[in-house]
Amino acid sequence: MKRPPSDAEEAFLPEAKRAKEGMENTLLLKVLQPTQPPAEPLSLATVGDFLSNEAQRVIASHGPKGLEEALQFLARAWRRSEEGGVVPTTWAGIQPLQEELQTTAVMLLIEVGSQEKIKAIIALLDTPVPAKLMTELLSAAAEDEAVPSQLLMDIAKPLKGRHLNDSRSPQFGKLIRILRSNKVYQTALVSSPCMEEIFMPTFEPKFNWRNQKGEVYMKQRPGNLLQTKSLLGWSLSPSSLDSQTIPPSQAHLTEAGAPEWQELHRATRQRVEGLQRGTQMKVNGIQNQASELVDILLRAGDAPRTAVLKWLGAVITSAEPRGKQGHVAPEGFNFWPQHGNHVVDVLGHDQTPPFERSLKNLLLVQALHAKIHGFPTSGCALNTFTLLLHLFKPIKADAAKDFTPFFLLRHDSTEVMGVWGRQDKDSRNEARFGETAQFEAAVEAAANVPAYTAALYDKSHFKNQVFWLATKGVGVLLLPVLKEAFHAMQNIAAAFHDKDRVTADIAWREYLIAEASLREGAFLERLGHLLDLTFRFLKHAAAGGGEAFPTPAPGPAWNACPSAVLENCLDVIDLYRERDRKGQNMVTGLFVYLDPEPVLTTLCVVMASDDHVRDPSLRGRAVKILHRLCISFPSWMDRLNQEPLRSHMIPCLVNVFVAVEKAIMSYYDLSYRFKYELRVPVMELFELCLQHEEHRQVLDAFVNGPGSDRFLKLLTQLINDTNSQTEEAIRTFKEYSQKKHEELHGAPAAPGGGASSSSSGGAPGGQHDEQVNEDDQTDGGEDVYRRSRMNYKEHAKKYFGLAARTWKTLWLLCKHCAKPIVQGRTLLDQLLHTSLDAQLYFLWGPQRNQMKATPQERDELGFNPKELIKNVTEIYLFLTRVNRDEVCRSIAKDERYYNPTFFDKACRFLSKNNLLSEKDVAEFEQFSKDLSLLVQQQRSVAQEVDVPEEFKCEMMDDIMSDPVQFPQSKKIVDRWAAVRQIMGSDRDPYANTPVKVEDLIALPELKEKIHRFAKDNNIGLEGGNMFD
């Protein structure tokens, strides 16, 4: 039981109460600091009434600004209550006082009209109002339906026109503060009237493009309108790249116009890196602001999330023209096609109008094109892509298997995906991996897939939506900026370094400013994450969710996927690959964030399968990228020697080598240089792989098993390449020697007044050796064909290099596969006659005198006859060690190139230059003698015997050993000749129709007659006589 207080204690209680009340009054006065002392002492119980009365007094005394001053009075009191120097932090009255301050402030705000609320809120946002109080005031104001939309527009519109050095961050912070306070504001931002005013302004195209029939084939797009007149556009517009969009009066405020970015040709690397770091910090700040705004909207519910996706889709769709090869400056807006060479030509040509000879003017024209065509400028496009990378960042690697291209097959997907979406029958669809029938089957297969049947902006498919937006953004937002910087601007800066310092400085500055963003660490990490998941998706789609090897037939998911997904990834990797770091052990830059396994596996699937990718150029690019990555990073090369690639790399290389036979760069690539260059990485990978016994075993099993026909086709094409490359090199070498001789001894004047070496063009150094006729010139004297003119020396050097590389691969395959080559017999005659015998003929035949050159000239051209002779003779030895008789019999049929004198000269050349060991030289000499005797015997027999015409091959005019008939043309030829033809072109040479080896019609009765005739007349047949 509680003891009652004593008399002394009862006397003390009133004193304690009075002391407590006095302490409360003192503390409250310190916090509130009223202009007039209160009539009665303040307490927590009465402070609410005092605050209400004091606020009304302030309102009355300050007129129109009374409400603002009253709210600021309450805000200052709140702030003092939290400052430790004013009241003790342990005082229990802090929270009750803040509650009274909040209640009073909210009541004051509720009692006034909408416009007064907005005015008061805007004023408070300019002062340091405590966050909690500001949030409560904003929430209270949001209850007035007229406030949220008007408040947002009043805060957002001042952001229009901001740029990198005038980012108006305080104003942007106010907007973020409002949106974070209450979901009402987030919803209001994407509702009328904010939607039409500041988020997604209504767009009506003002420009239409019509064809000759008057039909509209292109309209202005909304991208530039969204950049300049929408909130997200104002958030993403500030950039270091778009200096040409800023009025001249403010040019000094841009990065390109800043004094520190001038005179870059005198800048040290340290200074440049410092400038780039400063630019990176400013750009990162802008990008972080935009990311924060979008994050708020994405978490606000379905309507704001849908509005953000629509905005991103509209910008990406509007940027589609920037990702296409056409529209080349100055007539168009793209600098990057042809690596900027066209722009270099325009800037440096004497006949170019003065306005177009200024790079600064061309950049201004590009900005005008952006407004007319309606696409976002480079800086806004790059910031938008960075925003997409930010949205994609949380997606984990294992989510790649959940991405589905069936989202693109929806009829309404064009709203966000443009041409990647499913077009109607009258529109052109984006190229897919699948053919038309396969694409239609994929559409049917998509009928039950949620991404196809659910609402377009369904929340459950947000990851899939972001993936496809980001993947398309690679092609239309990122790559134009990348190519413009890394190709065009670098090329322009290099071309005009010594010619036009102003142009070179502008181009170099544009490159360095772009590089600051494109090589920034966080950007590379997020871009690497996107590429990594893209390759994981491609691998999963190509394999149908199973094992990638052996490569299965492509399924609906792969057939529905746009081929641009892979093309864009290859472009990005090639652009970021650091060419000067070849052979380094450390993976750097973008490639730190890529897992080699899905990248290499996807590339190998593309290389291996004719069904997955039918475009030979794309398959050639895939092997080119794989080769460059493996050469640059040994750790990636090691992956080729591990399963499953170890067991499938050789078949992949064989298939892709054969596939690029039909790769054509342009109609004017008459010397097939594009095809040859695509095959160089294949041949170098062959050399790297065949250094390992495991790959050699795979090659042997492939050649002698399921890949025999494929290998024969490869060998056919390899032989054709060596022949054509060597012939092209020798032909050009002769022309080079002839031209040099004419220069030394006086050349006749060029007819028509044309100049032979003064026109700029495609040849290195801007010089060519061809005669320019009057018909080849414009009225202004410009050479129409200047870009395709040939510099004989450079052309010969290029083809001698290609021929040396191809001969090395032919030597390598003959070394490891001599047995199937000889036993198969299909290509033995072609290899011996058109390649080996022909090379000896060119080196020691009648044309030798036309190829005379000094050792120095041979070194300059890359012509190494010693290496060529060594390769040729060793291939002879590889083949004879398998079956000397068959090799001799085949060579004996060669009446065009074979000459025993050439073999004798080759023997002496080998001995003189110590190209082979003594044992090998002796073996080759004996082979040469045996061959000479056999040829004499065979030719004497052939002269004595008259072979019936029906026994002769209609293609080679020689006695057949295994006659077959083409099914279409009905022509009868020897089997080896028919197979060789099919391996080279897959066509009947007489009917020009497709044909396969298995389609050939065997003629056993005719074969028996031929073999009986040959037996009776002692004539040797290929592969022996059936009656022996």
Side-chain angles (χ1 to χ4, degrees), residues 657-663 672 675 679 709-721 826-827 830 955 966 976-989 995-997:
F657 188 96
V658 172
V660 299
E661 174 69 19
K662 298 178 181 179
Y672 305 109
K675 175 182 71 175
R679 281 177 170 166
D709 289 344
R710 205 68 171 171
F711 175 75
L712 291 177
K713 182 170 285 191
L714 175 145
L715 204 61
T716 300
Q717 295 172 0
L718 199 61
I719 293 170
N720 293 337
D721 287 358
T826 303
L827 299 177
Q830 183 185 7
M955 186 178 294
F966 282 110
W976 68 268
V979 171
R980 187 179 72 181
Q981 178 66 34
I982 293 172
M983 292 300 173
S985 64
D986 292 319
R987 305 188 78 81
D988 181 335
V995 66
K996 298 179 181 179
V997 174

Side-chain angles (χ1 to χ4, degrees), residues 65-269:
K65 293 187 177 182
L67 178 61
E68 300 171 21
E69 292 295 329
L71 292 175
Q72 290 179 10
F73 163 73
L74 298 173
R76 288 193 293 269
W78 186 302
R79 193 166 60 252
R80 293 190 200 101
S81 71
E82 295 176 336
E83 297 176 358
V86 178
V87 295
T89 56
T90 57
W91 182 37
I94 293 177
Q95 182 175 352
L97 173 61
Q98 290 179 348
E99 291 176 354
E100 292 295 339
L101 290 169
Q102 175 181 310
T103 301
T104 304
V106 169
M107 292 303 297
L108 290 175
L109 192 65
I110 291 176
E111 291 172 355
V112 299
S114 301
Q115 291 301 320
E116 290 180 319
K117 289 185 178 116
I118 294 171
K119 184 179 178 181
I121 291 294
I122 292 175
L124 289 176
L125 289 171
D126 288 325
T127 59
V129 178
K132 185 176 180 180
L133 177 59
M134 191 73 238
T135 299
E136 292 299 327
L137 290 174
L138 287 169
S139 297
E143 296 179 3
D144 186 338
E145 294 182 357
V147 169
S149 58
Q150 188 61 48
L151 177 60
L152 286 170
M153 288 190 288
D154 289 346
I155 293 296
K157 285 183 178 180
L159 294 174
K160 181 180 180 180
R162 70 180 193 144
H163 50 82
L164 193 62
N165 292 311
D166 181 21
S167 60
R168 304 170 197 176
S169 295
Q171 189 72 14
F172 197 90
K174 296 177 188 178
L175 177 66
I176 295 299
R177 197 170 186 180
I178 293 172
L179 292 173
R180 286 191 181 280
S181 66
N182 197 295
K183 283 193 175 183
V184 173
Y185 293 102
Q186 300 163 7
T187 304
L189 184 60
V190 295
S191 304
S192 183
C194 285
M195 173 63 82
E196 296 80 13
E197 290 286 331
I198 62 173
F199 197 89
M200 204 84 169
T202 303
F203 171 74
E204 288 294 335
K206 298 179 180 178
F207 296 93
N208 295 324
W209 285 261
R210 300 178 182 273
N211 57 23
Q212 294 180 346
K213 297 180 180 180
E215 301 168 340
V216 176
Y217 68 90
M218 186 170 65
K219 295 182 179 181
Q220 185 186 34
R221 299 170 185 246
N224 198 263
L225 175 79
L226 294 177
Q227 174 182 338
T228 56
K229 294 187 178 181
S230 72
L231 175 58
L232 284 180
W234 302 331
S235 304
L236 293 165
S237 290
S239 165
S240 58
L241 295 177
D242 298 331
S243 58
Q244 62 272 15
T245 63
I246 306 298
S249 60
Q250 301 179 16
H252 62 285
L253 298 176
T254 65
E255 291 295 284
E260 57 269 21
W261 278 101
Q262 309 306 313
E263 300 292 330
L264 288 175
H265 61 278
R266 300 181 179 178
T268 63
R269 187 64 200 175

